[in-house]
Amino acid sequence: MKVLVVNAGSSSVKFTLFEMADQSVLCKGLVERIGLKSPRLVYQRAGEEQHDEKLTIVNHNGAMQAICHKLIDAEQGVLKSLTEIDAIGHRVVHGGEQFSAAVVIDSAVKDGIRKCSALAPLHNPPNLDGIEACEDFFPGVPNVAVFDTAFHQSMEPEGYLYALPRELYKKLGIRKYGFHGTSHKYVYYAGCAFLGLNPETAKVITCHLGNGGSITAIRGGKVLDTSMGMTPLMGLVMGTRCGTIDPGVVLYLIKNGYTADEVDVILNKKSGMQGVSGISSDMRDIEAARNSGNTDAQEAYDLFIHRLLNYIGGYYLLLGGADAIFFTGGIGENSPAVRESVIRQMSVYGCELDNEANKARGKQIVLSRPGSKLQVAIVPTNEELMIAREAIGLVK
Ligand code: AMP
C-alpha cells in the first residue's frame, strides 16, 4: 500500500510518498515560494539526485497539480497512475480539544479544523488548502488528518490548565495544547522498541530540540506534561522564540507603547538564541562563536542548557523517576556538546555519559554507559513515517 504524506504550510507544500509494505520512501520533495516570486519544485526519487524546477503556480492547488504531474512523470515519476495511492496523510498543526487522534477527513472534520484556526491562524488555513487540493486531485482517495496537538490530549487537567480564571478556559479555550506531538509519539515508541522498554508502562522524557523545541514527560504512552503551551512560544529557549518568560513582561512592553503585533514579532522572531546571542538562531553558529570566546554566545548556550535542565529535573520528579531520556530534532540528533552539557548533570540519577557513543550524529544509539539506571539515547525523529502509519492504520 502506498501513502502520500503532505505538509502544507503558508508558502510551501512538502510531500513524501511511502511504500508501506517495507515503510520505504519512494520519492519526496517540496514546492516552495507559493504565492511569491519564482516558486519552484524540488523533487527526489529514492537513491537518486535531487531535481529543481521553476513553476508558474499561484496557490496550493497549483502546487499539488505540479506534484501530481511529477509523481506520474514518464521519466522521473514513481507511479503509473495516481490511483495507486491508498491514502493521504496530512500534517495539521492544531486539533484543539476536538481531535485527540488522527481522523479520516470529511466535511465535519474540515469544519473542526477551520474552528481550530482561531488557535493556529498561520498554520491551519494552509493545512486546509492542502487537504482541499488533494480532494481535487485524488478523487476517492481517503485523506487523513494527523494533528500536532493530538498526542498531548492525553494530559490530565493538572498538566494542561493554566492558573487563570476558569471561564477563560471554558469560553476561549485558553489552556496548554502542546505541539510536536507526532514527533514525541514516534520517538517514544521507537525509543522504547530500541531499548526493549514496555511502552505500556515506560517512563520517558522525550527532548525534541530543533529550531523549535519542546520536551515531554510520557508514562505508558500518556503525556503527563509538555513544555509548549497554548502556542509554541512557551517552554524551552528556541532558535528565535523566547520560551517561557514572566507574562508580566508582555504587559510591561504593551504599557510602554509596544503594539501587540510588535510584541508578537519580538517574542517569536527576535528572541531565543538569536536574541540573546545577537549572532544567529542556529546552534552550529552559537557553538562556533562560544568556542572562539564570544561571551554573548556562551550566555545564550548556557541559558539554553539551564532551561532544558529545569524541565528535565521537573519531569523526572513528575514521572516518579524515568527509565529513559531520548534526544531528537536537529540539535538533539547532531550536537554532542549540548548532549554532553545535559547528560553530565545526570550522574545524580545514576547515569554516566558514554563519550565515544556521544560522537554520533543523526543515528539511533545509546549514549549512557552500560549499567546506567537511567538510559539516554538518540532516537532520530520521523514525523512523515508516523503520519503515514497513522493514515494507513485508519484506512486499512
Ligand atoms: P530542526 O528544526 O529539527 O530541523 O533543527 C534545526 C536546527 O538543528 C538548526 O537550527 C541547528 O541549530 C541544529 N543543528 C543541525 N545540525 C547541527 C549540528 N551539527 N550541531 C549543532 N546543531 C545542529
Side-chain angles (χ1 to χ4, degrees):
M1 294 183 96
K2 294 182 176 57
V3 178
L4 180 66
V5 172
V6 174
N7 180 357
S10 56
S11 66
S12 70
V13 176
K14 296 187 187 128
F15 64 96
T16 309
L17 182 65
F18 285 95
E19 170 52 67
M20 295 311 286
D22 57 0
Q23 306 202 342
S24 62
V25 173
L26 297 174
C27 68
K28 63 180 181 179
L30 83 157
V31 174
E32 57 185 357
R33 306 188 56 78
I34 301 169
L36 303 169
K37 236 172 96 184
S38 353
R40 64 175 196 144
L41 169 75
V42 179
Y43 176 81
Q44 187 174 29
R45 220 158 42 171
E48 294 184 11
E49 265 182 37
Q50 186 174 293
H51 296 270
D52 264 25
E53 206 171 281
K54 281 194 181 140
L55 299 175
T56 51
I57 52 136
V58 293
N59 56 24
H60 287 73
N61 213 272
M64 195 50 69
Q65 188 172 29
I67 294 168
C68 289
H69 280 154
K70 213 42 147 185
L71 293 176
I72 53 172
D73 183 83
E75 274 180 26
Q76 294 176 8
V78 288
L79 303 173
K80 286 203 170 61
S81 154
L82 295 177
T83 58
E84 288 172 52
I85 292 176
D86 298 286
I88 305 171
H90 295 267
R91 176 179 184 229
V92 180
V93 166
H94 219 304
E97 288 192 326
Q98 190 178 341
F99 300 106
S100 56
V103 282
V104 176
I105 297 170
D106 58 16
S107 60
V109 169
K110 285 202 287 180
D111 283 346
I113 295 172
R114 220 167 270 126
K115 268 196 202 136
C116 294
S117 292
L119 294 164
L122 299 180
H123 294 101
N124 275 28
N127 295 160
L128 264 174
D129 289 342
I131 290 167
E132 292 186 333
C134 285
E135 288 174 338
D136 285 350
F137 289 105
F138 302 90
V141 178
N143 286 282
V144 173
V146 181
F147 300 90
D148 247 27
T149 49
F151 187 45
H152 301 304
Q153 279 296 304
S154 53
M155 270 188 291
E156 296 291 339
E158 67 265 28
Y160 68 73
L161 284 178
Y162 290 133
L164 290 169
R166 195 173 279 275
E167 73 218 44
L168 293 179
Y169 163 56
K170 286 193 176 154
K171 274 195 205 148
L172 297 174
I174 295 179
R175 52 158 282 178
K176 198 148 103 180
Y177 292 96
F179 297 88
H180 293 143
T182 307
S183 173
H184 288 291
K185 185 175 179 182
Y186 176 87
V187 167
Y188 176 76
Y189 286 100
C192 282
F194 178 48
L195 296 184
L197 297 171
N198 178 355
E200 301 295 317
T201 55
K203 297 191 282 187
V204 170
I205 299 170
T206 49
C207 307
H208 179 114
L209 310 176
N211 187 37
S214 65
I215 172 165
T216 299
I218 306 166
R219 185 167 59 205
K222 260 188 77 162
V223 172
L224 294 198
D225 205 347
T226 190
S227 61
M228 282 181 166
M230 176 170 139
T231 75
L233 256 184
M234 187 179 161
L236 302 175
V237 175
M238 301 175 229
T240 61
R241 294 190 199 121
C242 58
T244 298
I245 56 167
D246 176 354
V249 172
V250 176
L251 302 177
Y252 186 84
L253 287 171
I254 287 177
K255 284 179 181 166
N256 278 278
Y258 288 83
T259 66
D261 284 344
E262 284 167 348
V263 175
D264 188 338
V265 171
I266 291 172
L267 303 184
N268 275 296
K269 303 253 163 71
K270 295 188 172 172
S271 296
M273 303 300 282
Q274 172 71 56
V276 179
S277 72
I279 293 172
S280 169
S281 61
D282 192 306
M283 186 57 87
R284 285 164 289 201
D285 299 335
I286 301 294
E287 287 183 13
R290 85 184 252 266
N291 289 338
S292 56
N294 183 300
T295 51
D296 289 349
Q298 184 64 52
E299 283 182 8
Y301 181 88
D302 291 343
L303 177 55
F304 179 91
I305 300 293
H306 183 99
R307 179 72 51 83
L308 189 50
L309 288 172
N310 254 304
Y311 271 100
I312 291 175
Y315 284 180
Y316 187 86
L317 203 56
L318 208 55
L319 286 163
D323 299 311
I325 297 182
F326 298 143
F327 284 96
T328 199
I331 298 171
E333 293 172 31
N334 296 300
S335 173
V338 165
R339 295 189 305 248
E340 187 191 339
S341 299
V342 174
I343 298 168
R344 73 166 171 243
Q345 298 298 106
M346 289 181 188
S347 54
V348 286
Y349 300 148
C351 172
E352 300 295 336
L353 177 66
D354 177 336
N355 290 305
E356 199 48 41
N358 192 40
K359 290 179 184 160
R361 292 178 198 269
K363 70 169 188 185
Q364 188 161 268
I365 189 167
V366 177
L367 300 172
S368 45
R369 286 201 210 140
S372 289
K373 264 201 331 220
L374 167 69
Q375 297 193 79
V376 184
I378 302 175
V379 181
T381 193
N382 194 337
E383 290 166 273
E384 289 78 17
L385 179 57
M386 190 74 214
I387 292 171
R389 284 182 188 162
E390 301 249 9
I392 208 73
L394 281 177
V395 306
K396 241 182 190 169

